[in-house]
Amino acid sequence: MILLQLIYSGIALGMIYAVIAFGYQLTFATSGTLNFGQGEALMLGALVGLTLVGLGVNYWVMIPIVCIFGFAQGALVERVGVRPAIKARSEFGWIMATIALGIIFKNVAENIWGRDDLRFPSPLPEAPIQVLGANVLPMELLVVFGALAMMLLVEIFNRKSIYGKAFVATSNDRDAAGLMGINTGMVITFSYALSSLTAAFAGVLVAPLTLTGATMGAVLGLKAFAVAIIGGLSSGMGVVVGGLILGIAETTTGFYLSTGYKDVPGLVLLLLVLTFKPAGLFGKTAIKKV
């Protein structure tokens, strides 16, 4: 039963990685760039959510407010850091810009909320429930279903709405989409906004299970990037599978070996994937004719 309980905890952790990695996919699909401040978007979402809850806002009412905040924060990152680099055709400018903005957001958070970790009150009972003989926290179940629901809603939006179809068209061929009258610049802005929205949403999901602070996003964002690489930056299924693999590997390794080694299996898997399947487990290798 201990193993089953570790698997349950790993699934919840893995789904948090997956929903952040899903945000990496959104920006890469439209612009070929990544927001290396995804972890800070998660951190800001969690801290803004904690402030709203502290002001008496109901947790379920707080979630859409935090999502709107995350949407605006992502659009700001694209406008300030990414768009100038794309216009200047700078190969690495967007990397340094998103990293720099992430550091700025972290410093702002430290000055507003302090450097100490804070406890985020759980909206659900903290007593575990029995599932197939093992204990599961209700909040862990919310994390799993909430992350899956967020990714499903984005997929439905992309497939059913006219704006989502513009998103898909831009991801398939940005130049052709522009020639067809699609404002690809706005689509890229929207992809960054949606990416940060998913990260902020992940922040308020994971915050009641961990301590909330200005440094909480750094490790989560980095591991989510590893998940995106392992699963494939072009595969939604890949980030889910990659997140589950990494989450379960961390919880089981931390228990059976040592917490000091819990990061090793994921990094080893990352190195193996980069060596033998650089496009990711579910990614497609792009072939360019010159």
Side-chain angles (χ1 to χ4, degrees):
M1 290 304 100
I2 291 177
L3 177 60
L4 186 59
Q5 194 161 335
L6 290 171
I7 291 173
Y8 286 159
S9 298
I11 290 173
L13 180 61
M15 290 309 300
I16 288 296
Y17 293 155
V19 77
I20 304 171
F22 186 68
Y24 285 120
Q25 280 190 345
L26 292 173
T27 60
F28 185 78
T30 58
S31 63
T33 63
L34 299 168
N35 180 10
F36 286 103
Q38 276 287 90
E40 281 64 39
L42 177 144
M43 172 269 295
L44 287 174
L47 287 173
V48 169
L50 178 63
T51 300
L52 291 173
V53 169
L55 293 174
V57 179
N58 182 274
Y59 179 86
W60 310 107
V61 176
M62 171 271 295
I63 289 178
I65 299 175
V66 167
C67 286
I68 293 171
F69 170 82
F71 189 90
Q73 187 258 347
L76 176 66
V77 169
E78 193 279 334
R79 289 282 180 153
V80 174
V82 179
R83 180 168 294 195
I86 292 177
K87 284 186 176 180
R89 299 187 181 276
S90 173
E91 189 173 355
F92 303 107
W94 57 269
I95 298 176
M96 298 310 301
T98 55
I99 292 174
L101 286 170
I103 294 172
I104 291 171
F105 289 138
K106 176 177 172 290
N107 288 339
V108 169
E110 286 177 341
N111 282 285
I112 295 177
W113 287 280
R115 300 191 176 201
D116 296 331
D117 291 328
L118 306 170
R119 186 178 180 277
F120 197 116
S122 176
L124 299 177
E126 298 186 8
I129 59 177
Q130 288 264 326
V131 178
L132 300 177
N135 291 329
V136 183
L137 293 173
M139 199 64 210
E140 289 178 335
L141 293 176
L142 178 61
V143 165
V144 173
F145 291 111
L148 287 173
M150 171 59 74
M151 290 186 283
L152 181 61
L153 285 173
V154 173
E155 285 296 323
I156 292 173
F157 172 82
N158 287 341
R159 294 176 184 274
K160 299 297 183 181
S161 72
I162 187 171
Y163 301 104
K165 290 176 181 177
F167 184 96
V168 173
T170 303
S171 66
N172 288 332
D173 191 324
R174 195 196 323 172
D175 293 332
L179 292 172
M180 295 298 293
I182 295 174
N183 188 337
T184 55
M186 286 299 297
V187 171
I188 293 172
T189 302
F190 180 78
S191 70
Y192 266 82
L194 198 58
S195 171
S196 290
L197 182 154
T198 59
F201 177 72
V204 295
L205 284 184
V206 73
L209 295 173
T210 64
L211 293 174
T212 306
T215 59
M216 69 179 292
V219 175
L220 288 171
L222 183 60
K223 290 183 178 179
F225 179 65
V227 165
I229 298 300
I230 291 170
L233 279 167
S234 60
S235 171
M237 177 62 70
V239 297
V240 173
V241 174
L244 293 178
I245 291 173
L246 186 59
I248 294 172
E250 284 190 5
T251 54
T252 53
T253 302
F255 181 83
Y256 289 111
L257 292 181
S258 167
T259 54
Y261 291 105
K262 68 183 180 66
D263 296 330
V264 173
L267 295 175
V268 170
L269 178 58
L270 176 62
L271 292 174
L272 290 173
V273 169
L274 288 174
T275 301
F276 297 105
K277 206 172 186 304
L281 296 177
F282 293 82
K284 296 179 180 179
T285 304
I287 300 175
K288 291 185 179 180
K289 295 181 180 181
V290 181

